[in-house]
Amino acid sequence: MNQTHATGLSVLAALLLAGAGTAAFAQSGDTLAAVKERGEVLCGVHPARHGFAAPDSQGKWSGFEVDFCHAIAAAVFGDANKVRFVALSSQQRFPAIQSGEVDVLARNVTATLSRDTALGLNFAPPIFYTGTGFLVRAADGIEKVEDLDGAAICMAPGSTTERNVAQIFSARGLSYTPVVIENNKQLVDAYVTGRCDALTKDKAALPGVRAFDTEAPGDHVLLPGIYSKEPLAMAVRQGDDKWYDLVKWVTYATFNAEELGVTQANVDEMKASDDPDIQTLLGVIGDNGTKLGVANDWAYAVVKQVGNYEDIYMRHFGPDSPVALDRDQNQLWTDGGLLYGFPMH
């Protein structure tokens, strides 16, 4: 095993050992009851990632994963604004959910077997499919990963990307120098100012990085290809099926609403639909809310106040957004994508 590979793997090993020794993780108890008593959902998010989560100058949060936190609050309280956002670094995120500092992680977390087991997490259905990518300067003439042999590469610590890069380069017999920086702005600045030859992150996060180079955003290009599987999903603590079920079905509700044509714009009109699937989704018939411990119109509140999956995606990654991304695998299964909402009857 070469040194770079060993370094990448050591981060995962350290996380697993830390997780295993964290006082057997926080006792989950009844998270839903605690959330209701507190009056807000505590949601762990990325400190600043274009399109996914970022606060504005007044401290108001917005982003794709931020909206899924709002969706949980809408389901619990009928009020999407009853959520408090907790900014977490890559290394802070798992201790924060384990200790009970937050109720749910919506923080660019890749669902993996090790995290699902050794870190004591349960993952809701993935809300965004992506993979490791590389951003380079066009002037350097780098066209493929093999051209990065011997390069300095900027990356965040404690991420699956760090491990992936070690594997990618080892498999190709390539060498590299990792430049590992925790703070996202400092990490991007290091790349933009030439401290490293490439920046690696989930590919979905890389287009937004160009905005950091205000002088010449067009001077940076994405290398073709995706080099890993990164299913990003919300995570909760193990041992509390009630809370896990709610987060899981909030996710499915956004998928099913899109599939059924129920949007933020037409949800009131759709309450009068004769389609039993739509009636069930919106709580016109059935008692799904009672089963989940919330009001029966919980999914109506989610769609009305936050939107279906397409509404959320287009708001943050659509052609008119600052970080335009094709949906690719993030399409419904009916359109050739990977999003598949389970039946809600």
Side-chain angles (χ1 to χ4, degrees):
M1 182 181 295
N2 66 30
Q3 182 62 41
T4 54
H5 192 132
T7 299
L9 291 179
S10 66
V11 173
L12 178 62
L15 277 172
L16 297 182
L17 287 172
T22 306
F25 311 126
Q27 292 299 315
S28 292
D30 190 340
T31 305
L32 179 57
V35 167
K36 288 180 175 180
E37 182 177 357
R38 185 192 308 126
E40 62 184 0
V41 179
L42 301 179
C43 197
V45 293
H46 198 288
R49 175 160 285 187
H50 281 281
F52 287 95
D56 63 16
S57 57
Q58 281 75 48
K60 181 179 180 182
W61 287 85
S62 64
F64 178 81
E65 290 179 318
V66 166
D67 274 354
F68 275 91
C69 297
H70 282 303
I72 295 170
V76 175
F77 299 108
D79 184 346
N81 292 317
K82 290 190 174 183
V83 53
R84 189 196 324 164
F85 297 100
V86 181
L88 299 170
S89 70
S90 295
Q91 294 178 319
Q92 291 171 332
R93 55 186 172 170
F94 297 128
I97 187 68
Q98 290 167 349
S99 67
E101 180 183 347
V102 296
D103 304 310
V104 59
L105 279 181
R107 198 230 167 269
N108 274 202
V109 179
T110 299
T112 70
L113 186 149
S114 296
R115 291 172 173 178
D116 192 32
T117 54
L119 295 186
L121 304 180
N122 278 335
F123 288 96
I127 53 176
F128 200 99
Y129 291 92
T130 183
T132 298
F134 296 88
L135 188 71
V136 298
R137 285 174 286 276
D140 291 343
I142 298 169
E143 298 180 350
K144 56 187 183 298
V145 167
E146 285 73 13
D147 295 336
L148 290 171
D149 191 18
I153 301 180
C154 280
M155 62 189 74
S159 64
T160 54
T161 301
E162 189 176 12
R163 180 179 184 274
N164 293 337
V165 172
Q167 292 184 326
I168 292 163
F169 277 70
S170 176
R172 290 164 172 77
L174 308 175
S175 65
Y176 70 101
T177 300
V179 180
V180 182
I181 301 173
E182 174 67 44
N183 180 277
N184 187 62
K185 185 179 185 305
Q186 293 175 1
L187 174 66
V188 174
D189 283 345
Y191 162 72
V192 170
T193 58
R195 183 176 167 188
C196 44
D197 305 298
L199 174 67
T200 184
K201 287 174 173 279
D202 290 344
K203 194 167 186 177
L206 290 173
V209 170
R210 293 175 173 140
F212 278 87
D213 190 352
T214 55
E215 298 297 323
D219 288 353
H220 307 277
V221 296
L222 281 166
L223 292 187
I226 293 178
Y227 295 92
S228 67
K229 293 188 292 185
E230 305 293 333
L232 307 183
M234 292 188 285
V236 298
R237 290 181 294 281
Q238 289 180 3
D240 189 346
D241 286 350
K242 183 186 296 185
W243 182 242
Y244 175 51
D245 285 346
L246 180 66
V247 174
K248 176 171 60 179
W249 285 101
V250 166
T251 304
Y252 283 142
T254 67
F255 300 168
N256 285 327
E258 180 182 354
E259 183 176 343
L260 292 168
V262 181
T263 70
Q264 191 170 25
N266 71 12
V267 65
D268 287 317
E269 173 188 343
M270 295 296 273
K271 287 185 78 173
S273 170
D274 293 330
D275 186 328
D277 287 334
I278 294 176
Q279 290 180 325
T280 300
L281 171 72
L282 300 180
V284 177
I285 61 174
D287 61 349
N288 281 344
T290 301
K291 295 171 183 175
L292 291 171
V294 294
N296 282 328
D297 65 349
W298 63 274
Y300 164 81
V302 169
V303 179
K304 175 69 174 178
Q305 298 182 38
V306 185
N308 68 18
Y309 186 89
E310 182 180 34
D311 291 327
I312 298 170
Y313 190 97
M314 297 304 286
R315 186 179 302 137
H316 303 292
F317 301 120
D320 297 327
S321 68
V323 187
L325 292 173
D326 291 336
R327 282 185 68 172
D328 296 328
Q329 301 104 318
N330 298 300
Q331 304 250 26
L332 293 178
W333 67 286
T334 51
D335 296 322
L338 298 177
L339 304 185
Y340 187 109
F342 284 14
M344 299 186 69
H345 53 71

